[in-house]
Amino acid sequence: MDLVRTGAALSAYIGGTAQVWSYTSTHDKLVIELSVADGSHRVYLVLIGCVGIWGRTWWKVSSPRIEVTNSGFLFVDGDLRVEFLHEFQLVDASPS
């Protein structure tokens, strides 16, 4: 997924909640669950190649964004910062 589309998709969750959902050390994969304010829709933000994770495990979504760095990417929202090297994707988590 590209940065522009991901940024637009993430902005829909401002005012909602987010939480670290899972971390798989064998693949350095972090999954963050984002929910809209009324809880009617959720997505998983999957970050691959995590090399640093700083911050809370649950928070109110305020300004989620993914930035390009010299060595990969940085996901930032509120107090949470995740440095990762490879890829990212949004996966719908709400029942159909």
Side-chain angles (χ1 to χ4, degrees), residues 30-83:
L30 179 71
V31 179
I32 297 169
E33 182 188 63
L34 298 135
S35 297
V36 294
D38 69 3
S40 65
H41 193 263
R42 300 174 298 131
V43 293
Y44 294 123
L45 174 62
V46 181
L47 308 174
I48 306 293
C50 296
V51 294
I53 303 167
W54 303 268
R56 299 176 178 269
T57 58
W58 185 95
W59 66 98
K60 287 283 198 176
V61 179
S62 60
S63 57
R65 64 191 181 282
I66 295 175
E67 303 169 354
V68 176
T69 67
N70 289 337
S71 60
F73 302 93
L74 182 66
F75 172 74
V76 179
D77 186 32
D79 293 336
L80 183 76
R81 297 170 47 89
V82 180
E83 183 180 354

